[in-house]
Amino acid sequence: MARPRRIVLVRHGESEGNQDETIYERKPDHALALTERGVRQAAEAGERLRKLFGRERVSVYVSPYRRTHETLGGLGLHPELTRVREEPRLREQDWGNWQDRDDVHLQKVYRDAYGHFFYRFAQGESGADVYDRVGAFLESLWRSFEEEDHPPNVLLVTHGLTMRLFCMRWLHWSVAEFESLSNPGNGETRVLELGPDGRYHLDRPFAQWCTPRPYGPCG
């Protein structure tokens, strides 16, 4: 099994939805584009990643959303060293419909009280649903490591919540630990590096906004 030396996760750059909440009322979530700032964030992330990867090959998995594809395009990775696959299981937490801003604000209040992992948006997904499909993707990813010539780097171009849930699944965090962590910023990366002990270690932690508390609100 040719396990990669590193698995890198990058959140998309700032999107139209990050800038204007009302856009969800007239444009599908999956169709939102990067803002000018988001384009710059993708380019800055690309500079860091090109230094990290050097001339090594990279296996890329990208969420099917417009903003993640645009982020990938802005990274400027060497095309001759990059293998790209669109991966729907790495998409954002689905709302499943057009979004009314006032309704979204109310549901987010409910979610904060109920818990981000278990609360299910009306007609959409819970964090637990995203966790399950991330787990299914991990099974496919592990099978790909059986390729003798698998690239030494894996890059996932995805979303903030999905990044946290991927790390939760990989590193076996508890629900309480997940609940205490904040999403990374737009264009931020996290790297799972293969250590001499044969295990992957996160290069830096996610910001923690509260103290983990099992079976109760984070506080």
Coordinates of all heavy atoms in Angstrom, one line a residue, residues 24-68:
Y24 N -28.5 33.7 -1.4 CA -29.1 32.4 -1.4 C -30.6 32.4 -1.7 O -31.1 31.3 -2.0 CB -28.9 31.8 0.0 CG -27.4 31.5 0.4 CD1 -26.8 32.4 1.2 CD2 -26.8 30.4 -0.1 CE1 -25.4 32.2 1.6 CE2 -25.4 30.2 0.2 CZ -24.8 31.1 1.1 OH -23.5 30.8 1.4
E25 N -31.2 33.5 -1.7 CA -32.6 33.6 -2.0 C -32.9 33.6 -3.5 O -34.0 33.4 -4.0 CB -33.3 34.9 -1.4 CG -33.2 34.9 0.1 CD -33.7 36.2 0.7 OE1 -34.1 37.1 -0.1 OE2 -33.7 36.4 1.9
R26 N -31.8 33.8 -4.3 CA -32.0 33.9 -5.8 C -31.0 33.1 -6.6 O -31.1 33.1 -7.8 CB -32.0 35.4 -6.2 CG -30.7 36.1 -5.8 CD -30.8 37.6 -6.1 NE -29.5 38.3 -5.8 CZ -29.2 38.7 -4.6 NH1 -30.0 38.6 -3.6 NH2 -28.0 39.4 -4.4
K27 N -30.0 32.5 -5.9 CA -29.0 31.7 -6.6 C -28.7 30.5 -5.8 O -28.5 30.5 -4.6 CB -27.7 32.6 -6.8 CG -26.7 32.1 -7.7 CD -25.6 33.1 -8.0 CE -24.6 32.6 -9.1 NZ -23.6 33.7 -9.3
P28 N -28.6 29.3 -6.5 CA -28.3 28.1 -5.8 C -26.9 28.1 -5.1 O -26.0 28.7 -5.6 CB -28.3 27.0 -6.9 CG -29.1 27.6 -8.0 CD -28.9 29.1 -7.9
D29 N -26.9 27.5 -3.9 CA -25.6 27.4 -3.2 C -24.5 26.9 -4.0 O -23.3 27.4 -4.0 CB -25.8 26.5 -1.9 CG -24.7 26.6 -0.9 OD1 -23.7 27.4 -1.2 OD2 -24.7 25.9 0.0
H30 N -24.7 25.8 -4.8 CA -23.7 25.2 -5.6 C -23.2 26.0 -6.7 O -22.1 25.8 -7.3 CB -24.1 23.8 -6.1 CG -25.3 23.9 -7.0 ND1 -25.2 24.2 -8.4 CD2 -26.6 23.7 -6.8 CE1 -26.3 24.2 -9.0 NE2 -27.3 23.9 -8.0
A31 N -23.9 27.1 -7.1 CA -23.6 27.9 -8.2 C -22.9 29.2 -7.8 O -22.6 30.0 -8.7 CB -24.8 28.2 -9.0
L32 N -22.6 29.4 -6.5 CA -22.0 30.7 -6.1 C -20.5 30.8 -6.5 O -19.8 29.8 -6.4 CB -22.1 30.8 -4.6 CG -23.5 30.8 -4.0 CD1 -23.5 31.0 -2.5 CD2 -24.4 31.9 -4.6
A33 N -20.1 31.9 -7.0 CA -18.8 32.1 -7.5 C -17.9 32.7 -6.4 O -18.4 33.2 -5.4 CB -18.8 33.0 -8.7
L34 N -16.6 32.7 -6.7 CA -15.7 33.4 -5.8 C -15.8 34.9 -6.0 O -16.1 35.4 -7.1 CB -14.2 33.0 -6.1 CG -13.8 31.6 -5.8 CD1 -12.3 31.4 -6.1 CD2 -14.1 31.2 -4.3
T35 N -15.6 35.7 -4.9 CA -15.4 37.1 -5.0 C -14.0 37.5 -5.5 O -13.1 36.6 -5.6 CB -15.7 37.8 -3.7 OG1 -14.7 37.3 -2.7 CG2 -17.1 37.4 -3.1
E36 N -13.7 38.7 -5.7 CA -12.4 39.1 -6.0 C -11.4 38.8 -4.9 O -10.3 38.3 -5.1 CB -12.3 40.6 -6.3 CG -13.0 41.1 -7.6 CD -12.9 42.5 -7.9 OE1 -12.1 43.2 -7.1 OE2 -13.5 43.0 -8.8
R37 N -11.9 39.0 -3.7 CA -11.0 38.6 -2.5 C -10.8 37.1 -2.5 O -9.7 36.6 -2.2 CB -11.7 39.0 -1.2 CG -10.9 38.7 0.0 CD -11.6 39.1 1.3 NE -10.8 38.9 2.5 CZ -11.3 38.9 3.7 NH1 -12.6 39.2 3.9 NH2 -10.5 38.6 4.7
G38 N -11.9 36.3 -2.8 CA -11.7 34.9 -2.9 C -10.7 34.4 -3.9 O -10.0 33.4 -3.7
V39 N -10.7 35.1 -5.1 CA -9.7 34.7 -6.1 C -8.3 35.0 -5.6 O -7.4 34.2 -5.8 CB -10.0 35.6 -7.4 CG1 -8.8 35.4 -8.4 CG2 -11.3 35.2 -8.0
R40 N -8.1 36.1 -4.8 CA -6.8 36.4 -4.3 C -6.4 35.3 -3.2 O -5.3 34.9 -3.1 CB -6.8 37.8 -3.6 CG -6.9 38.9 -4.6 CD -6.5 40.2 -4.0 NE -7.3 40.6 -2.9 CZ -8.5 41.3 -2.9 NH1 -8.9 41.7 -4.1 NH2 -9.2 41.5 -1.9
Q41 N -7.4 34.9 -2.4 CA -7.1 33.9 -1.4 C -6.7 32.6 -2.0 O -5.8 31.9 -1.5 CB -8.4 33.7 -0.5 CG -8.7 34.9 0.4 CD -10.0 34.8 1.1 OE1 -10.9 34.2 0.6 NE2 -10.1 35.4 2.2
A42 N -7.4 32.2 -3.1 CA -7.0 31.0 -3.8 C -5.5 31.1 -4.3 O -4.8 30.1 -4.2 CB -8.0 30.7 -5.0
A43 N -5.2 32.2 -4.9 CA -3.8 32.4 -5.4 C -2.8 32.3 -4.3 O -1.7 31.7 -4.5 CB -3.7 33.8 -6.1
E44 N -3.1 32.9 -3.1 CA -2.2 32.9 -2.0 C -2.0 31.5 -1.5 O -0.9 31.0 -1.1 CB -2.7 33.8 -0.9 CG -2.6 35.3 -1.3 CD -3.4 36.2 -0.3 OE1 -4.1 35.6 0.6 OE2 -3.5 37.4 -0.5
A45 N -3.2 30.7 -1.4 CA -3.1 29.3 -1.0 C -2.2 28.5 -2.0 O -1.5 27.6 -1.6 CB -4.5 28.7 -0.9
G46 N -2.4 28.8 -3.3 CA -1.6 28.2 -4.3 C -0.1 28.4 -4.1 O 0.7 27.4 -4.4
E47 N 0.3 29.6 -3.8 CA 1.7 29.8 -3.6 C 2.3 28.9 -2.5 O 3.4 28.3 -2.6 CB 1.9 31.3 -3.2 CG 1.7 32.3 -4.3 CD 2.0 33.7 -3.9 OE1 2.5 33.9 -2.8 OE2 1.6 34.6 -4.7
R48 N 1.5 28.8 -1.4 CA 1.9 27.9 -0.3 C 2.0 26.5 -0.7 O 2.9 25.7 -0.3 CB 1.0 28.1 0.9 CG 1.0 29.5 1.5 CD 0.3 29.6 2.8 NE -1.1 29.1 2.8 CZ -2.2 29.9 2.5 NH1 -2.0 31.2 2.2 NH2 -3.4 29.5 2.5
L49 N 1.0 26.0 -1.4 CA 0.9 24.6 -1.8 C 2.0 24.3 -2.8 O 2.5 23.2 -2.7 CB -0.5 24.3 -2.3 CG -1.6 24.4 -1.3 CD1 -3.0 24.1 -2.0 CD2 -1.4 23.4 -0.2
R50 N 2.3 25.1 -3.7 CA 3.3 24.8 -4.7 C 4.7 24.7 -4.0 O 5.5 23.8 -4.4 CB 3.4 25.9 -5.8 CG 2.1 25.9 -6.7 CD 2.4 26.7 -8.0 NE 2.7 28.1 -7.7 CZ 1.7 29.0 -7.5 NH1 0.4 28.7 -7.6 NH2 2.1 30.3 -7.3
K51 N 4.9 25.5 -3.0 CA 6.2 25.3 -2.2 C 6.2 24.0 -1.4 O 7.2 23.3 -1.3 CB 6.3 26.5 -1.2 CG 6.6 27.8 -1.9 CD 6.7 28.9 -0.9 CE 7.0 30.3 -1.5 NZ 7.0 31.4 -0.5
L52 N 5.0 23.6 -0.9 CA 4.9 22.4 -0.1 C 5.1 21.2 -1.0 O 5.8 20.2 -0.7 CB 3.5 22.3 0.5 CG 3.2 21.1 1.4 CD1 4.1 21.0 2.6 CD2 1.7 21.1 1.8
F53 N 4.5 21.2 -2.2 CA 4.5 20.0 -3.1 C 5.8 19.9 -3.9 O 6.2 18.8 -4.3 CB 3.3 20.0 -4.0 CG 2.0 19.9 -3.3 CD1 0.9 20.5 -3.8 CD2 1.8 19.1 -2.2 CE1 -0.4 20.4 -3.2 CE2 0.6 19.0 -1.6 CZ -0.5 19.7 -2.1
G54 N 6.4 21.1 -4.2 CA 7.5 21.1 -5.1 C 7.2 20.5 -6.4 O 6.2 20.8 -7.1
R55 N 8.0 19.5 -6.8 CA 7.8 18.8 -8.1 C 7.2 17.4 -7.9 O 7.3 16.6 -8.8 CB 9.1 18.7 -8.9 CG 9.8 20.0 -9.3 CD 8.9 20.7 -10.3 NE 8.7 20.0 -11.6 CZ 8.0 20.4 -12.6 NH1 7.3 21.5 -12.5 NH2 7.9 19.7 -13.7
E56 N 6.6 17.2 -6.7 CA 5.9 16.0 -6.5 C 4.5 15.9 -7.1 O 3.9 16.9 -7.2 CB 5.8 15.7 -4.9 CG 7.2 15.6 -4.2 CD 7.0 15.5 -2.7 OE1 5.9 15.7 -2.2 OE2 8.0 15.2 -2.1
R57 N 4.1 14.7 -7.4 CA 2.8 14.5 -7.9 C 1.7 14.7 -6.9 O 1.9 14.4 -5.7 CB 2.6 13.1 -8.6 CG 3.5 12.9 -9.8 CD 3.4 11.5 -10.4 NE 3.9 10.6 -9.4 CZ 3.1 9.5 -9.0 NH1 1.9 9.3 -9.5 NH2 3.6 8.7 -8.1
V58 N 0.5 15.1 -7.3 CA -0.6 15.4 -6.4 C -1.9 14.8 -7.0 O -2.2 14.9 -8.1 CB -0.8 16.9 -6.2 CG1 -1.9 17.1 -5.2 CG2 0.5 17.6 -5.9
S59 N -2.6 14.0 -6.1 CA -3.9 13.5 -6.4 C -5.0 14.4 -5.8 O -5.0 14.6 -4.6 CB -4.1 12.1 -5.9 OG -5.4 11.6 -6.2
V60 N -5.8 15.1 -6.7 CA -6.7 16.1 -6.2 C -8.1 15.6 -6.3 O -8.5 15.0 -7.3 CB -6.6 17.4 -7.1 CG1 -7.6 18.5 -6.6 CG2 -5.2 17.9 -7.0
Y61 N -8.9 15.9 -5.2 CA -10.3 15.6 -5.2 C -11.0 17.0 -4.9 O -10.7 17.6 -3.9 CB -10.7 14.6 -4.1 CG -10.1 13.2 -4.3 CD1 -8.8 13.0 -3.8 CD2 -10.8 12.3 -5.0 CE1 -8.2 11.7 -4.0 CE2 -10.2 11.0 -5.2 CZ -8.9 10.7 -4.7 OH -8.4 9.5 -4.9
V62 N -11.9 17.3 -5.7 CA -12.6 18.6 -5.6 C -14.1 18.5 -5.5 O -14.7 17.7 -6.2 CB -12.2 19.6 -6.8 CG1 -12.6 18.9 -8.1 CG2 -12.8 20.9 -6.6
S63 N -14.7 19.2 -4.6 CA -16.1 19.3 -4.4 C -16.7 19.8 -5.7 O -16.1 20.6 -6.4 CB -16.5 20.3 -3.3 OG -17.8 20.8 -3.4
P64 N -17.9 19.4 -6.1 CA -18.5 19.8 -7.4 C -19.0 21.2 -7.4 O -19.6 21.7 -8.5 CB -19.7 18.8 -7.6 CG -20.1 18.5 -6.2 CD -18.8 18.4 -5.4
Y65 N -18.9 22.0 -6.3 CA -19.4 23.4 -6.3 C -18.6 24.3 -7.2 O -17.4 24.1 -7.4 CB -19.5 23.9 -4.9 CG -20.7 23.4 -4.1 CD1 -21.1 22.1 -4.2 CD2 -21.3 24.2 -3.2 CE1 -22.2 21.6 -3.4 CE2 -22.4 23.8 -2.4 CZ -22.8 22.5 -2.5 OH -23.8 22.0 -1.8
R66 N -19.2 25.3 -7.7 CA -18.5 26.3 -8.5 C -17.3 26.9 -7.8 O -16.2 27.1 -8.3 CB -19.5 27.4 -9.0 CG -18.8 28.5 -9.9 CD -19.8 29.5 -10.4 NE -19.1 30.6 -11.1 CZ -19.8 31.6 -11.7 NH1 -21.1 31.6 -11.6 NH2 -19.1 32.5 -12.3
R67 N -17.5 27.3 -6.5 CA -16.5 28.0 -5.8 C -15.3 27.2 -5.5 O -14.2 27.7 -5.4 CB -17.1 28.7 -4.5 CG -17.7 27.7 -3.5 CD -18.4 28.5 -2.4 NE -19.1 27.7 -1.4 CZ -20.4 27.4 -1.5 NH1 -21.1 27.7 -2.5 NH2 -21.0 26.7 -0.5
T68 N -15.5 25.9 -5.4 CA -14.3 25.0 -5.1 C -13.6 24.7 -6.4 O -12.3 24.7 -6.4 CB -14.8 23.6 -4.5 OG1 -16.0 23.2 -5.2 CG2 -15.1 23.8 -3.0

